[in-house]
Amino acid sequence: MNEDQRKAPLWGGRFRKQLDPAAKVFSSSIKYDKRFAKEDIEGSIAHVTMLGECNIIPAGESTLIVSALKQIREEITAGTLQIPDDSEDVHLAIEELLIQRIGSVGGKLHTARSRNDQIALDQRLFLRKELRELQNSIKELQRDLIAKAQANRQIIIPGYTHMQRAQPVLLAHHLLAYVSMLGRDAERIADCLVRINLSPLGAAAFAGTSFPIDRDAVASQLGFSGVVFNSIDAVSDRDYVIEVAGVCSIIMMHLSRFAEELILWSTSEFGFVEMDDCISTGSSIMPQKKNPDIAELIRGRSGRVYGALMNLLTIMKGLPLAYNRDMQCDREPMFEALETTSNALAMMKLIVANITFRSDHLKTVLQEGFLTATEIADYLVRKGETFREAHRITGELTGYCAENNLSFTSLDLEKLRSYSPKFSEDVFDILDPERSIALKVSLGSSSQESVDTQLIYWKNKLSE
Amino acid sequence: MNEDQRKAPLWGGRFRKQLDPAAKVFSSSIKYDKRFAKEDIEGSIAHVTMLGECNIIPAGESTLIVSALKQIREEITAGTLQIPDDSEDVHLAIEELLIQRIGSVGGKLHTARSRNDQIALDQRLFLRKELRELQNSIKELQRDLIAKAQANRQIIIPGYTHMQRAQPVLLAHHLLAYVSMLGRDAERIADCLVRINLSPLGAAAFAGTSFPIDRDAVASQLGFSGVVFNSIDAVSDRDYVIEVAGVCSIIMMHLSRFAEELILWSTSEFGFVEMDDCISTGSSIMPQKKNPDIAELIRGRSGRVYGALMNLLTIMKGLPLAYNRDMQCDREPMFEALETTSNALAMMKLIVANITFRSDHLKTVLQEGFLTATEIADYLVRKGETFREAHRITGELTGYCAENNLSFTSLDLEKLRSYSPKFSEDVFDILDPERSIALKVSLGSSSQESVDTQLIYWKNKLSE
Amino acid sequence: MNEDQRKAPLWGGRFRKQLDPAAKVFSSSIKYDKRFAKEDIEGSIAHVTMLGECNIIPAGESTLIVSALKQIREEITAGTLQIPDDSEDVHLAIEELLIQRIGSVGGKLHTARSRNDQIALDQRLFLRKELRELQNSIKELQRDLIAKAQANRQIIIPGYTHMQRAQPVLLAHHLLAYVSMLGRDAERIADCLVRINLSPLGAAAFAGTSFPIDRDAVASQLGFSGVVFNSIDAVSDRDYVIEVAGVCSIIMMHLSRFAEELILWSTSEFGFVEMDDCISTGSSIMPQKKNPDIAELIRGRSGRVYGALMNLLTIMKGLPLAYNRDMQCDREPMFEALETTSNALAMMKLIVANITFRSDHLKTVLQEGFLTATEIADYLVRKGETFREAHRITGELTGYCAENNLSFTSLDLEKLRSYSPKFSEDVFDILDPERSIALKVSLGSSSQESVDTQLIYWKNKLSE
Amino acid sequence: MNEDQRKAPLWGGRFRKQLDPAAKVFSSSIKYDKRFAKEDIEGSIAHVTMLGECNIIPAGESTLIVSALKQIREEITAGTLQIPDDSEDVHLAIEELLIQRIGSVGGKLHTARSRNDQIALDQRLFLRKELRELQNSIKELQRDLIAKAQANRQIIIPGYTHMQRAQPVLLAHHLLAYVSMLGRDAERIADCLVRINLSPLGAAAFAGTSFPIDRDAVASQLGFSGVVFNSIDAVSDRDYVIEVAGVCSIIMMHLSRFAEELILWSTSEFGFVEMDDCISTGSSIMPQKKNPDIAELIRGRSGRVYGALMNLLTIMKGLPLAYNRDMQCDREPMFEALETTSNALAMMKLIVANITFRSDHLKTVLQEGFLTATEIADYLVRKGETFREAHRITGELTGYCAENNLSFTSLDLEKLRSYSPKFSEDVFDILDPERSIALKVSLGSSSQESVDTQLIYWKNKLSE
């Protein structure tokens, strides 16, 4: 077989002309899917092993192909072999390498298989690995957040709604809210993995095959929990890629919220947090600047993952069954969503490790504002007011203080009683943020006790 | 209490001025969230019952409030009571109705609660109900597809890749691919429901409360499987709405693909399907037209749900904790995603019930094209060719036929053998589409047997 | 004509069965497009007038139809006539009203016309009006921003990059940045209007018509600058709706940025701005809260318009020519994008009118941070340092001050000269924010003079 | 200056620690923005020339820097110099190269400039060039479509609405619809270019500068039509990138529609078009397949550009002024939108050049269906029927034919008159598709004459 023939497209029989060179570049997916090289070889080994065991090809040929594939895989891993960039895709590239080495018997590898089921297989193997890594990254970030919460468990911060100071909360409780969000993210990945961990191989082009293959054996060898049953579905489905992009979008949304808070907290105005130099950058023109660039980039990167999700949904809209070439366009958004999310998780971990909460400043902050107003209202309720009336009284009291630039603690009992006779000496107990936090008794509230329970819960959960 | 006071905002204490009327309209969510009226009342009944049981308010007052709430619910259900449109939101509207009826004791309902946890509760109750209905709609569509598959189990259609005729498949197998997709959709809803079915109530504004409430009791009374533990997370989270929009987007993507196929199949050119008048419309100008409008609208509606998903993701991007008013904007996309998806499922069911496959025409179609080319190649492989070589030979054979306007079945053995000496008399057995389908032996393939297995699997599954 | 016949679909000839009632509801667009009633009638008047003038129908009949249409329009405007909700769309609804009044001659209105070109016409007329109103809303907001800038022209605020204090700027200059953005928004609308202001009428279903119509006359009567030439394009095009959603998305993006700043500025931490009660709301649980809800809702509403854009792009993806029913789904996103943007502009105007800048607090703020560091570096450059070296020196100086909790103004010359011998007495001139601003000499900079030039430019521009 | 110092970040003065290595990789934009190298140098040359002319730096130094920059540019163009990959961004990379060559005087280049205005400049220069190339690509595709239309001007195809055969149209008219769409795309680019073609340079960090720079001179030297006036706006604005992504999204939407039609037309079922081997690919498993992959990929790629648009809108949502690092994330979607669109236009041009319309088959097709039904209805109108009645009669006639498998031309006059006495001998003239097309007289219709007018219009337009 001469070089020209070798390079002729594998569908050559019916074709008189080569694909236009520019069209070849446009349609080639090799630059993206060569990342699947190991998965592709792993799948091919399982497939050809089964072909041998089922006597679809002679056992000797199967052994020969397997051993050549393993050799190729080893060389790729060692970096001594590069996937050629001029192939149409990774499947052909590896098959070509195989045939170069062992001759035309290598062509038997593709018996009872199509690139349609092969790419689905590669993607599922790849995503399974990537999602497990993502689960680990999430766990690591959760662990660091928990450690940070634990180490700073005495620190109280103002809690906000509408970005207005609302009630004091433990910093640890606030950080544990993110641990909870990440916990749901990990659950979603686990759900996703159940649907991903099925083998499409054996669907062939889409209709199955007349060769007596053993799909379960291949699935089992590859560690899948089963097969994608319907053969048309097996090659037409890209739900699993969209689901991954959806899961990643929510993770990025969570990280964008945390990034936003960290950026706010490190402003001169809030000043809750000091970012280490190693996660900050300066300005080429303003010498005093120390900017939270890494957090900003995490926030901005949410766009990339949202975009990837929209990309994938658009690709699949209105596509008839079974396989259409449009589906190849799923590669870039899939990689981008995973890579961006994985990097963002790692960077958030780096930030968490390199921030210091300014506890002295936070103590001052807690004296300002009217963070204990809710406690005053609740106090009045306990003294017999309806909640609505207690709310009105406290509101007027706050208005009076705000206009006269006073804090609650600067008022005396007489003044308080001019607003409601229900106030008595014990009201002063609740005006302190620490006391206010200690008062919280509800399950999952911002009390020290609740935070301890959460810390224990998560430590157990993460050590599973 | 005079009218003015009643209409003063419930946060009146600190405020000197009313909200600007246009701003009130802009910020009011009542037109959307009055759909939550029943959920809101259900939640309030559980909450106030617990307040009584925990002695946070006197048992008698709790009973009084519960009974008034039940009365209000009854009147709303009966249609004799309308939620007033001039309230800020459904929570206030109902509280106002309550106070009108039983006086200021009604104000005690809001003890140890905030609208922040209340809206999360209403949404979760609402979504739980809606998602269960969506699961039913999916099941119904699956059942009808299965019935259609069963009723037409002899029909063979050309299967397509790249919209080019590829291999013959059983229509039933093709329809079962959609049943499989819908099966995954139902699984995703089930996953989603696990995370939705938790009670946020008791998180209050976001920090929990100093009242000794029993969150688990409320959760249990409302049929939840547990509580959202961290109180900040409980009010800041909208993952559950985004997840629903994500799940609905994939459903709509599936339906858009099926709609596209039905539109194609009912063209003059394909002619596989006849749509009944009851799902078709005509033209105001072209008297001969019979258009598949319902299918087109299903396809087009995918945009609405994709848009809702993007809407929600955008809203939540970069929002600091805990509650921000932006989160109110989740209402419209949530309703739109659910309603659109639910309608689309119902309409697809209507279409499935009202299409007839043109079996005679399909028989003719199967003789055209070269649908059995893969069988020829596989035949040669069985005779000892490598797959690559068998592919090349069949490709050349197809090229010859295409250029000379011949079909495979019109060739004689001599001609075939001029392409490969491996052809012998038994090749003619495989050139028939029915025979080709019967040859498929792999699990989940398009053989009659595989289709029967799938039908049994799904019938069992759906009768669970 | 009996009632049944009247209600038969207008494509009745070929049909034996009515559309399924649920499908009718699903496919009906009347609830959305009845907003086009006036545009539809206006278009019909122009069309039928032309039919008469071109002798396609007798002049007397044309006059009769015109006069009946005017009567219907008048009654709709007066509110004495409602568009019936049970029609398929607004075009049929009006035609049915017409035939009810003047009998079957009313049926001549639809000569040489199709609903395909009619809906495109209605939308273009509607959008032309709406976009002009949007231009006005933008101008009004620009005017108010300019007035606010003018009224507060002495106020200096810290300018930020990366949300870190960077350099002092005039508040007016900052507000004028938004005026500039809105200026581009208005330009984009103007560009859009050029493409919208063309008449599609006369394209009929998509191929034109055999009646000797005068498209230019109709276009001219309706105030269009020309016609959409190619008849297939005229009915298949929805670019104009997508463009509008694109333009609105950018407007909302701008408003979301301003909203974010206003929310930040009204935090306790920034404290730059006081929002009036009339644009604030309180909390049902925390009596001290005063929340910038209107600004938050503007920010959150950006999602709705982004979602509408994605909706429209999805609908049109991959649709073959000419008209497909999917295109009807453009109605909701079009209305939502326009309405949301229009409301957001009005609300931002309300906010601008109801905020007070806290000038005393701002003066204090300007003394903090190291806002004049860039001036120090530039000072050193003027004294002969390279910029890079000057930057390094100032950076070290800032580091020293930050660590020792000092401000630049607290340093003496000796200390300064220990960092660079190039410092001399005149350095103290530039350490004052006001002086720093006065130093800015570049075109469009934050100097008082530049701001004055901008104010004049915009006042002239807006009075055009 | 030793190596370590050279590699210290340019904001070094205040910083004690280097950026974490992983954070450096995460935040580096060099891999994307090194594509701006030429624009960056071009901008620097203009800037430093002005600095010299305005005596901000000595003329000799300015000349020295300019000449070194030109040398660097030359080497980059020649490929003998690579932008180092380890810089933070392209601006620093080039400045570092400069300082390596001419020593610390190179540091003067950055006087009165910031990377904030510099990146905006680079992007605007880059986009200006890219958009002009996109305009050319559009023109080229338009020209090829026109040539194809001209060359096939006798061919009639069935026109479709709802994918149902509707009326015959000239293929040329259909192709000219796409020429019109592309014409609007070119207009949108031109509109966009007006806003892009302004210089942001001189805004410095965002507040302008105290150096007496001449912004107009720089703008003029760089071929801009003016400056972005407000300095804060100049660095905070990314409208121009979003606009480009918006324009590209609509282009891709148009191409996806055409791709869809080409895919349909090349099915066995439609068979209107034959794609050359050079734009088709085969199957690895089905030897008979010839797939329209290039068209499919164009269709699928629409997702990538939609995603890029959503990415950009998300990034900018809610960002406070002025510059935030999030804005760096605009690079990838910008490049992806442009590259994808540019490739898709080129590929569509390749397809247009390599398709052959199957005119014989099309002639057969036109005899099927009831494409002239509208002409029959119009005929009856001309004979005095109302349009509604004529429509009904023709509909019944079509129903009769459809049920009895007849075509209009097979009916005799007697049969026709049994439906309406208004039919007479001349009706047979209009039943022929060619005659039907000739009858179209309205402006922009599908008549030969109208097509000729359009061809002339576009040829003139494109030769401007």
Side-chain angles (χ1 to χ4, degrees), chain D residues 412-441:
Chain D
D412 60 19
L413 188 58
E414 191 184 358
K415 188 76 214 169
L416 287 168
R417 291 178 67 94
S418 74
Y419 282 86
S420 164
K422 295 213 160 75
F423 282 116
S424 57
E425 199 61 48
D426 57 354
V427 68
F428 295 107
D429 285 355
I430 61 163
L431 296 184
D432 170 55
E434 282 195 40
R435 178 82 188 112
S436 155
I437 278 179
L439 279 171
K440 297 276 187 276
V441 294

Side-chain angles (χ1 to χ4, degrees), chain C residues 230-301:
Chain C
N230 183 290
S231 63
I232 297 179
D233 184 40
V235 303
S236 330
D237 172 30
R238 286 297 181 273
D239 291 9
Y240 54 95
V241 190
I242 299 176
E243 264 196 75
V244 169
V247 164
C248 288
S249 290
I250 299 183
I251 296 174
M252 289 305 295
M253 181 270 281
H254 290 154
L255 297 181
S256 80
R257 300 181 76 177
F258 194 23
E260 170 84 5
E261 294 204 310
L262 291 165
I263 293 164
L264 280 174
W265 290 352
S266 60
T267 57
S268 305
E269 289 73 15
F270 280 79
F272 295 2
V273 148
E274 180 74 29
M275 291 206 180
D276 191 83
D277 284 7
C278 78
I279 50 167
S280 308
T281 63
S283 158
S284 71
I285 190 168
M286 296 167 290
Q288 88 282 16
K289 293 296 296 296
K290 193 170 147 187
N291 299 323
D293 293 57
I294 305 306
E296 294 173 276
L297 286 167
I298 292 172
R299 186 178 57 184
R301 286 281 173 210

Side-chain angles (χ1 to χ4, degrees), chain B residues 4-16:
Chain B
D4 259 316
Q5 281 173 310
R6 204 186 61 75
K7 284 294 171 194
L10 80 168
W11 58 76
R14 200 195 155 171
F15 283 70
R16 303 271 168 271

Side-chain angles (χ1 to χ4, degrees), chain A residues 151-211:
Chain A
N152 293 279
R153 59 194 290 287
Q154 306 304 331
I155 293 183
I156 299 173
I157 59 169
Y160 294 79
T161 59
H162 307 259
M163 291 188 65
Q164 294 290 318
R165 286 183 189 162
Q167 297 181 31
V169 287
L170 287 171
L171 169 63
H173 189 54
H174 191 99
L175 295 179
L176 283 162
Y178 285 105
V179 175
S180 302
M181 294 180 215
L182 290 165
R184 278 194 301 280
D185 292 326
E187 281 176 29
R188 273 183 284 266
I189 294 178
D191 290 346
C192 208
L193 269 168
V194 172
R195 279 179 289 277
I196 281 176
N197 198 24
L198 299 171
S199 171
L201 218 58
F206 68 100
T209 174
S210 56
F211 292 102

Side-chain angles (χ1 to χ4, degrees), chain A residues 158 160-167 260 263-264 266-270 272 281 283-293 296 299 310 314-317 319 326 365 369-374 377 387-388 390-391 394-395 398 408, chain C residues 158 160-167 260 263-264 266-270 272 281 283-293 296 299 310 314-317 319 326 365 369-374 377 387-388 390-391 394-395 398 408:
Chain A
Y160 294 79
T161 59
H162 307 259
M163 291 188 65
Q164 294 290 318
R165 286 183 189 162
Q167 297 181 31
E260 169 84 5
I263 293 165
L264 279 174
S266 59
T267 57
S268 304
E269 289 73 15
F270 279 79
F272 294 2
T281 63
S283 158
S284 70
I285 191 167
M286 294 168 291
Q288 87 282 17
K289 294 295 295 298
K290 192 171 147 187
N291 298 323
D293 293 57
E296 293 173 275
R299 186 178 59 185
M310 209 36 60
T314 304
I315 291 168
M316 297 305 291
K317 181 233 164 183
L319 274 199
D326 318 51
V365 163
F370 302 97
L371 288 164
T372 50
T374 313
F387 183 76
R388 283 286 161 249
H391 185 285
T394 318
T398 310
F408 287 149
Chain C
Y160 294 79
T161 58
H162 307 260
M163 291 188 66
Q164 294 290 318
R165 288 182 189 164
Q167 297 180 31
E260 170 84 5
I263 293 164
L264 280 174
S266 60
T267 57
S268 305
E269 289 73 15
F270 280 79
F272 295 2
T281 63
S283 158
S284 71
I285 190 168
M286 296 167 290
Q288 88 282 16
K289 293 296 296 296
K290 193 170 147 187
N291 299 323
D293 293 57
E296 294 173 276
R299 186 178 57 184
M310 199 40 53
T314 304
I315 292 168
M316 296 305 291
K317 182 233 162 182
L319 275 199
D326 317 50
V365 163
F370 302 97
L371 288 163
T372 50
T374 313
F387 184 76
R388 283 286 161 246
H391 184 284
T394 317
T398 310
F408 288 148

Side-chain angles (χ1 to χ4, degrees), chain C residues 76 159 322 454:
Chain C
I76 289 171
Q454 293 179 63

